[in-house]
């Protein structure tokens, strides 16, 4: 399946107790091959020592770079005392918008990771979603972990589409409020494919926008337990107007609301 490409080392970063950590190195990535492990603390990027005020995004900005160039990370592996320096050659990394694996004893739990709510088109995203949901239904498992950690969002309609699969008919998935205060409600339709599966949703500081809409919809309708850290807090849609001096005006045109009418941010 097509994915989103960027140049870097192929590791998902997170934040824990004031430290930037590796949540997971992607399979087949330069990070994994060089010996980066899940839960590694990142202490330095090249010669820059990360401070407690540095966010995950600051760290990512320093680690990303042109394919073929190298970056040196000083990391502390879990359970070890001495940091190690690991040099990694950056490559082009392709990340699928969603991945599915079956985990736990007897592989009885589906773990569906949604990295973003975008593909080339909304239809493409929806067909990827449908394929993954079919795989889960066909497997007969009764439990699902829906992983939205680090998911910055994407199509609003993709979040509505996904939410609809878990909710019985007539539930509010989200509401949109425009500048004049007019509210449009998005209501679940009949025939969700995942109405009875037990559901846990994972979120963190990097879960934003469409991720928050979906997590909020499932939480407020009593459909899922949400586990993780407080999400990013982006509940607005911008329209971008390019200006002649190459700057642009970002005008907030819509605010998304949770099913109960609360703002997301």
């Amino acid at each position: 399946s097509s994915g989103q490409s960027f140049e870097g080392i192929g590791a998902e970063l997170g934040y824990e107790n004031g430290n930037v950590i590796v949540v997971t190195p992607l399979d087949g990535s330069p990070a994994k091959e060089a010996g980066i492990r899940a839960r590694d603390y990142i202490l330095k990027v090249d010669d820059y020592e990360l401070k407690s005020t540095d966010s995950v995004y600051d760290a990512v900005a320093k680690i990303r770079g042109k394919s073929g160039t190298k970056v040196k990370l000083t990391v502390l592996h879990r359970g070890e005392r001495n940091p190690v320096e690991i040099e990694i050659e950056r490559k082009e990394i392709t990340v699928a918008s969603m991945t599915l694996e079956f985990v736990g004893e007897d592989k009885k739990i589906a773990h569906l990771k949604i990295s973003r709510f975008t593909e080339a088109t909304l239809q493409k995203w929806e067909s990827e979603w449908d394929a993954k949901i079919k795989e889960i239904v066909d497997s007969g498992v009764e439990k699902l972990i829906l992983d939205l950690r680090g998911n910055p969002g994407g199509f609003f309609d993709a979040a509505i589409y996904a939410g609809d699969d878990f909710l019985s008919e007539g539930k509010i998935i989200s509401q949109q409020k425009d500048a004049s205060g007019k509210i449009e409600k998005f209501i679940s339709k009949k025939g969700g494919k995942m109405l009875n599966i037990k559901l846990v949703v994972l979120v963190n500081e990097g879960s934003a926008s469409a991720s928050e809409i979906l997590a909020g919809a499932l939480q407020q309708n009593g459909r899922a337990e949400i586990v993780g850290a407080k999400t990013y807090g982006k509940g607005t849609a911008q329209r971008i107007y390019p200006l002649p001096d190459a700057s642009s005006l970002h005008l907030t045109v819509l605010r998304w609301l949770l099913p109960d009418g609360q703002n997301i941010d």
Side-chain angles (χ1 to χ4, degrees):
S1 80
S2 72
Q4 193 177 39
S5 298
F6 60 89
E7 293 176 289
I9 64 166
E12 188 185 323
L13 304 189
Y15 203 67
E16 187 178 282
N17 306 330
N19 297 289
V20 175
I21 63 159
V22 176
V23 176
T24 182
L26 304 177
D27 280 340
S29 65
K32 191 158 192 176
E33 283 165 21
I36 295 287
R37 303 176 197 163
R39 324 295 299 157
D40 279 350
Y41 290 107
I42 301 180
L43 309 179
K44 287 167 78 171
V45 181
D46 290 322
D47 295 322
Y48 178 82
E49 201 161 324
L50 288 174
K51 301 186 288 291
S52 58
T53 50
D54 288 323
S55 72
V56 172
Y57 302 103
D58 297 326
V60 167
K62 288 181 169 29
I63 294 170
R64 276 199 185 165
K66 283 266 179 288
S67 183
T69 60
K70 289 184 174 154
V71 62
K72 187 176 72 193
L73 297 186
T74 305
V75 303
L76 180 62
H77 295 312
R78 281 293 150 117
E80 295 188 8
R81 294 221 170 135
N82 299 314
V84 289
E85 285 185 358
I86 297 179
E87 191 174 68
I88 307 164
E89 186 173 320
R90 299 174 174 108
K91 282 193 186 131
E92 186 166 347
I93 312 287
T94 303
V95 184
S97 61
M98 49 193 98
T99 51
L100 173 64
E101 51 180 356
F102 293 92
V103 297
E105 262 176 56
D106 309 330
K107 308 280 183 221
K108 283 283 170 64
I109 303 168
H111 176 239
L112 178 58
K113 173 138 184 65
I114 309 292
S115 303
R116 60 184 185 282
F117 287 90
T118 46
E119 275 287 348
T121 63
L122 175 62
Q123 286 69 28
K124 173 93 174 68
W125 191 93
E126 289 177 354
S127 69
E128 289 268 331
W129 172 265
D130 288 345
K132 293 284 186 277
I133 294 303
K134 182 177 185 326
E135 216 178 308
I136 295 169
V137 171
D138 290 350
S139 74
V141 300
E142 292 168 5
K143 295 176 180 172
L144 169 65
I145 298 166
L146 183 62
D147 192 343
L148 302 178
R149 290 174 300 180
N151 180 328
F155 299 122
F156 171 79
D157 289 350
I160 300 298
Y161 188 82
D164 207 352
D165 255 340
F166 295 104
L167 296 168
S168 54
E169 192 178 0
K171 303 270 194 262
I172 299 176
I173 304 174
S174 182
Q175 308 188 50
Q176 264 185 6
K177 183 174 175 182
D178 68 14
S180 66
K182 188 166 139 293
I183 290 182
E184 183 183 355
K185 293 183 174 173
F186 294 80
I187 309 287
S188 55
K189 299 192 273 294
K190 197 167 174 228
K193 300 183 202 80
M194 305 289 280
L195 297 182
N196 298 315
I197 202 158
K198 273 201 161 141
L199 183 60
V200 168
V201 180
L202 302 184
V203 295
N204 66 5
E205 309 85 345
S207 310
S209 192
S211 291
E212 296 175 289
I213 287 163
L214 179 54
L218 296 171
Q219 183 183 40
Q220 291 201 347
N221 282 295
R223 184 62 191 86
E225 194 170 335
I226 311 292
V227 176
K230 188 173 159 61
T231 58
Y232 185 76
K234 180 181 187 319
T236 54
Q238 281 79 30
R239 192 166 287 159
I240 299 170
Y241 297 92
L243 300 172
D245 65 355
S247 68
S248 60
L249 170 67
H250 292 237
L251 190 67
T252 297
V253 290
L254 284 174
R255 186 176 280 285
W256 296 312
L257 307 176
L258 292 170
D260 68 358
Q262 276 184 47
N263 288 333
I264 286 178
D265 41 340

